[in-house]
Amino acid sequence: MANAKILHGDIPAEDPSTLLADVSTTLNVLEDLNKRIQLTQGQTLLESGKTLADAIVERDILAQKRFIYQSLVAAASSTGKQPHGNELRWLRTVNVSQLQHQIEQIAKEHQLLDIRIQKAGWTTELLE
């Protein structure tokens, strides 16, 4: 970016046209690689019969679900500041213990699925 503008009379350290051509070439390689990865993930089957692509989506959703449940537990568990004289009493509207158990189950499921995804990643050749 330093070569995008120079003081009058200065010479750019690198030719911006060459840099832009290099960027274009690199992005084309990256695009091709991403397409090959998506093709491979869509055609690679895990032992469960799911495609690798579907397993990755499922793993990502499990991570989001776990984060949401953890946030809910944190919100329900926080004591906050009590008003003077404790006139108000906070009541939980969710079962924290049950949510924590669900979080543990989600974490276990996420970990096992991630292991299968990692195994497939190491044992699968990238398709052309």
Side-chain angles (χ1 to χ4, degrees):
M1 298 302 162
N3 291 307
K5 183 169 64 172
I6 59 171
L7 291 172
H8 179 71
D10 283 351
I11 299 172
E14 295 182 77
D15 178 22
S17 299
T18 302
L19 292 173
L20 286 173
D22 290 348
V23 165
S24 183
T25 300
T26 302
L27 290 175
N28 287 338
V29 170
L30 181 61
E31 179 182 6
D32 180 58
L33 181 60
N34 278 316
K35 286 178 180 179
R36 291 175 58 205
I37 289 169
Q38 288 182 359
L39 175 67
T40 303
Q41 291 173 344
Q43 293 186 11
T44 300
L45 293 178
L46 302 180
E47 309 86 40
S48 65
K50 294 178 190 172
T51 65
L52 181 55
D54 288 345
I56 291 170
V57 169
E58 184 179 334
R59 180 195 60 191
D60 293 348
I61 294 299
L62 285 169
Q64 290 175 354
K65 188 175 186 179
R66 180 178 174 193
F67 174 78
I68 291 167
Y69 281 29
Q70 288 173 326
S71 298
L72 183 56
V73 165
S77 300
S78 70
T79 55
K81 291 186 177 182
Q82 294 294 324
H84 182 68
N86 291 333
E87 298 97 14
L88 300 176
R89 185 172 153 213
W90 293 99
L91 299 175
R92 292 184 180 135
T93 59
V94 295
N95 184 328
V96 171
S97 176
Q98 182 182 17
L99 283 172
Q100 288 173 326
H101 178 71
Q102 288 176 318
I103 291 167
E104 291 171 10
Q105 295 294 22
I106 292 166
K108 182 178 179 180
E109 190 177 345
H110 180 275
Q111 182 181 24
L112 292 173
L113 184 55
D114 191 54
I115 289 169
R116 291 193 298 270
I117 290 169
Q118 293 296 327
K119 178 182 175 187
W122 284 107
T123 59
T124 303
E125 290 295 321
L126 193 58
L127 299 176
E128 291 296 324

Short mmCIF file of all heavy atoms in Angstrom, two decimals, residues 1 4-5 11 14 18 22 29-31 34-35 51-52 55 61 65 75 77-79 84 105 110 113 117 120 126:
data_model
loop_
_atom_site.label_atom_id
_atom_site.label_comp_id
_atom_site.label_asym_id
_atom_site.label_seq_id
_atom_site.Cartn_x
_atom_site.Cartn_y
_atom_site.Cartn_z
N MET A 1 0.82 -1.19 0.00
CA MET A 1 0.00 0.00 0.00
C MET A 1 0.87 1.26 0.00
O MET A 1 0.41 2.31 -0.42
CB MET A 1 -0.94 0.01 1.22
CG MET A 1 -1.93 -1.14 1.26
SD MET A 1 -2.97 -1.16 -0.20
CE MET A 1 -3.59 -2.79 -0.16
N ALA A 4 1.22 3.01 -3.33
CA ALA A 4 0.04 3.58 -3.99
C ALA A 4 0.18 5.08 -4.18
O ALA A 4 -0.43 5.66 -5.07
CB ALA A 4 -1.21 3.27 -3.18
N LYS A 5 1.03 5.69 -3.34
CA LYS A 5 1.20 7.14 -3.43
C LYS A 5 2.62 7.46 -2.94
O LYS A 5 3.08 6.94 -1.93
CB LYS A 5 0.16 7.82 -2.52
CG LYS A 5 0.18 9.31 -2.56
CD LYS A 5 -1.04 9.92 -1.86
CE LYS A 5 -1.07 9.61 -0.39
NZ LYS A 5 -2.13 10.36 0.32
N ILE A 11 10.69 7.51 -6.28
CA ILE A 11 10.44 6.33 -7.11
C ILE A 11 9.82 5.26 -6.19
O ILE A 11 10.33 5.03 -5.08
CB ILE A 11 11.75 5.80 -7.73
CG1 ILE A 11 12.36 6.87 -8.63
CG2 ILE A 11 11.51 4.50 -8.48
CD1 ILE A 11 13.74 6.53 -9.14
N GLU A 14 8.43 -0.66 -5.33
CA GLU A 14 8.05 -1.73 -6.24
C GLU A 14 7.04 -1.17 -7.23
O GLU A 14 6.29 -0.25 -6.91
CB GLU A 14 7.43 -2.90 -5.48
CG GLU A 14 8.41 -3.59 -4.53
CD GLU A 14 7.77 -4.79 -3.84
OE1 GLU A 14 7.65 -5.84 -4.50
OE2 GLU A 14 7.41 -4.65 -2.67
N THR A 18 3.10 -4.45 -11.31
CA THR A 18 3.61 -5.80 -11.05
C THR A 18 2.96 -6.38 -9.81
O THR A 18 2.56 -7.55 -9.78
CB THR A 18 5.14 -5.78 -10.88
OG1 THR A 18 5.73 -5.22 -12.06
CG2 THR A 18 5.70 -7.16 -10.63
N ASP A 22 0.64 -9.72 -9.53
CA ASP A 22 0.93 -10.79 -8.57
C ASP A 22 -0.28 -11.09 -7.70
O ASP A 22 -0.59 -12.26 -7.43
CB ASP A 22 2.12 -10.42 -7.68
CG ASP A 22 3.44 -10.41 -8.42
OD1 ASP A 22 3.49 -10.92 -9.57
OD2 ASP A 22 4.43 -9.88 -7.86
N VAL A 29 -5.11 -18.54 -7.95
CA VAL A 29 -4.65 -19.81 -7.36
C VAL A 29 -5.51 -20.14 -6.13
O VAL A 29 -5.94 -21.29 -5.95
CB VAL A 29 -3.15 -19.74 -7.00
CG1 VAL A 29 -2.73 -20.94 -6.17
CG2 VAL A 29 -2.31 -19.62 -8.26
N LEU A 30 -5.76 -19.15 -5.30
CA LEU A 30 -6.58 -19.34 -4.11
C LEU A 30 -8.00 -19.76 -4.48
O LEU A 30 -8.58 -20.66 -3.86
CB LEU A 30 -6.60 -18.06 -3.27
CG LEU A 30 -7.40 -18.11 -1.98
CD1 LEU A 30 -6.85 -19.17 -1.03
CD2 LEU A 30 -7.39 -16.74 -1.32
N GLU A 31 -8.56 -19.14 -5.50
CA GLU A 31 -9.91 -19.51 -5.96
C GLU A 31 -9.95 -20.96 -6.42
O GLU A 31 -10.86 -21.72 -6.05
CB GLU A 31 -10.36 -18.59 -7.09
CG GLU A 31 -11.74 -18.91 -7.63
CD GLU A 31 -12.15 -18.02 -8.78
OE1 GLU A 31 -11.34 -17.22 -9.27
OE2 GLU A 31 -13.31 -18.14 -9.22
N ASN A 34 -9.71 -23.28 -3.37
CA ASN A 34 -10.97 -23.32 -2.63
C ASN A 34 -12.01 -24.17 -3.35
O ASN A 34 -12.75 -24.92 -2.72
CB ASN A 34 -11.52 -21.91 -2.38
CG ASN A 34 -10.87 -21.25 -1.19
OD1 ASN A 34 -10.71 -21.86 -0.15
ND2 ASN A 34 -10.51 -20.00 -1.34
N LYS A 35 -12.08 -24.05 -4.67
CA LYS A 35 -13.02 -24.87 -5.44
C LYS A 35 -12.68 -26.35 -5.32
O LYS A 35 -13.58 -27.19 -5.17
CB LYS A 35 -13.02 -24.44 -6.91
CG LYS A 35 -13.71 -23.12 -7.14
CD LYS A 35 -13.63 -22.71 -8.61
CE LYS A 35 -14.32 -21.37 -8.86
NZ LYS A 35 -14.23 -20.96 -10.26
N THR A 51 -21.40 -36.52 3.99
CA THR A 51 -20.25 -35.96 3.29
C THR A 51 -19.42 -35.16 4.28
O THR A 51 -19.93 -34.71 5.32
CB THR A 51 -20.68 -35.03 2.13
OG1 THR A 51 -21.35 -33.89 2.67
CG2 THR A 51 -21.55 -35.75 1.12
N LEU A 52 -18.18 -34.97 3.94
CA LEU A 52 -17.30 -34.16 4.77
C LEU A 52 -17.84 -32.74 4.88
O LEU A 52 -17.81 -32.13 5.95
CB LEU A 52 -15.88 -34.17 4.18
CG LEU A 52 -14.80 -33.41 4.92
CD1 LEU A 52 -14.69 -33.85 6.38
CD2 LEU A 52 -13.46 -33.58 4.21
N ALA A 55 -20.61 -32.68 7.40
CA ALA A 55 -20.05 -32.84 8.74
C ALA A 55 -19.45 -31.53 9.24
O ALA A 55 -19.58 -31.18 10.43
CB ALA A 55 -19.01 -33.96 8.76
N ILE A 61 -22.34 -25.73 13.50
CA ILE A 61 -23.61 -25.46 14.18
C ILE A 61 -23.53 -25.92 15.64
O ILE A 61 -24.03 -25.23 16.54
CB ILE A 61 -24.79 -26.15 13.45
CG1 ILE A 61 -24.98 -25.52 12.06
CG2 ILE A 61 -26.07 -26.08 14.27
CD1 ILE A 61 -25.31 -24.04 12.07
N LYS A 65 -24.22 -23.57 18.82
CA LYS A 65 -25.21 -23.96 19.83
C LYS A 65 -24.56 -23.97 21.22
O LYS A 65 -25.14 -23.47 22.19
CB LYS A 65 -25.76 -25.35 19.48
CG LYS A 65 -26.90 -25.80 20.33
CD LYS A 65 -27.44 -27.14 19.79
CE LYS A 65 -28.68 -27.58 20.52
NZ LYS A 65 -29.20 -28.86 19.97
N ALA A 75 -25.62 -15.83 31.72
CA ALA A 75 -26.60 -14.78 32.02
C ALA A 75 -27.50 -15.18 33.19
O ALA A 75 -27.81 -14.37 34.06
CB ALA A 75 -27.45 -14.48 30.78
N SER A 77 -26.75 -17.24 35.57
CA SER A 77 -25.97 -17.46 36.78
C SER A 77 -25.42 -16.19 37.40
O SER A 77 -25.00 -16.19 38.55
CB SER A 77 -24.81 -18.41 36.49
OG SER A 77 -25.30 -19.65 36.02
N SER A 78 -25.39 -15.11 36.63
CA SER A 78 -24.81 -13.88 37.17
C SER A 78 -25.72 -13.32 38.25
O SER A 78 -26.95 -13.33 38.14
CB SER A 78 -24.58 -12.86 36.07
OG SER A 78 -25.80 -12.35 35.60
N THR A 79 -25.08 -12.84 39.30
CA THR A 79 -25.86 -12.31 40.42
C THR A 79 -26.17 -10.84 40.23
O THR A 79 -27.21 -10.36 40.67
CB THR A 79 -25.09 -12.50 41.75
OG1 THR A 79 -23.81 -11.90 41.61
CG2 THR A 79 -24.96 -13.97 42.08
N HIS A 84 -30.50 -1.84 47.08
CA HIS A 84 -30.41 -1.57 48.52
C HIS A 84 -31.61 -2.19 49.22
O HIS A 84 -32.75 -1.97 48.85
CB HIS A 84 -30.37 -0.06 48.77
CG HIS A 84 -30.24 0.29 50.22
ND1 HIS A 84 -29.11 0.02 50.92
CD2 HIS A 84 -31.12 0.87 51.08
CE1 HIS A 84 -29.28 0.42 52.17
NE2 HIS A 84 -30.50 0.95 52.28
N GLN A 105 -22.84 -32.47 26.61
CA GLN A 105 -23.18 -33.41 25.53
C GLN A 105 -22.83 -32.82 24.17
O GLN A 105 -22.30 -33.51 23.29
CB GLN A 105 -24.68 -33.77 25.58
CG GLN A 105 -25.08 -34.53 26.81
CD GLN A 105 -24.44 -35.91 26.90
OE1 GLN A 105 -23.42 -36.20 26.30
NE2 GLN A 105 -25.03 -36.78 27.67
N HIS A 110 -19.39 -32.52 19.50
CA HIS A 110 -18.53 -31.66 18.68
C HIS A 110 -17.13 -32.25 18.57
O HIS A 110 -16.56 -32.32 17.48
CB HIS A 110 -18.48 -30.25 19.29
CG HIS A 110 -17.64 -29.29 18.53
ND1 HIS A 110 -16.28 -29.19 18.72
CD2 HIS A 110 -17.96 -28.37 17.59
CE1 HIS A 110 -15.80 -28.25 17.92
NE2 HIS A 110 -16.80 -27.75 17.22
N LEU A 113 -17.09 -35.48 16.41
CA LEU A 113 -17.27 -35.14 15.00
C LEU A 113 -16.01 -34.47 14.45
O LEU A 113 -15.57 -34.77 13.34
CB LEU A 113 -18.48 -34.22 14.84
CG LEU A 113 -18.88 -33.83 13.42
CD1 LEU A 113 -19.11 -35.06 12.55
CD2 LEU A 113 -20.12 -32.95 13.45
N ILE A 117 -13.69 -35.52 11.27
CA ILE A 117 -13.38 -34.55 10.20
C ILE A 117 -11.87 -34.45 10.01
O ILE A 117 -11.37 -34.46 8.88
CB ILE A 117 -14.00 -33.18 10.52
CG1 ILE A 117 -15.53 -33.25 10.40
CG2 ILE A 117 -13.42 -32.08 9.62
CD1 ILE A 117 -16.25 -32.03 10.95
N ALA A 120 -10.52 -37.51 8.23
CA ALA A 120 -10.82 -37.46 6.80
C ALA A 120 -9.90 -36.46 6.10
O ALA A 120 -9.45 -36.70 4.98
CB ALA A 120 -12.28 -37.10 6.57
N LEU A 126 -6.77 -34.32 -2.24
CA LEU A 126 -7.50 -33.20 -2.83
C LEU A 126 -7.81 -33.52 -4.29
O LEU A 126 -6.93 -33.90 -5.07
CB LEU A 126 -6.65 -31.94 -2.73
CG LEU A 126 -7.32 -30.61 -3.00
CD1 LEU A 126 -8.50 -30.37 -2.08
CD2 LEU A 126 -6.31 -29.48 -2.88
#
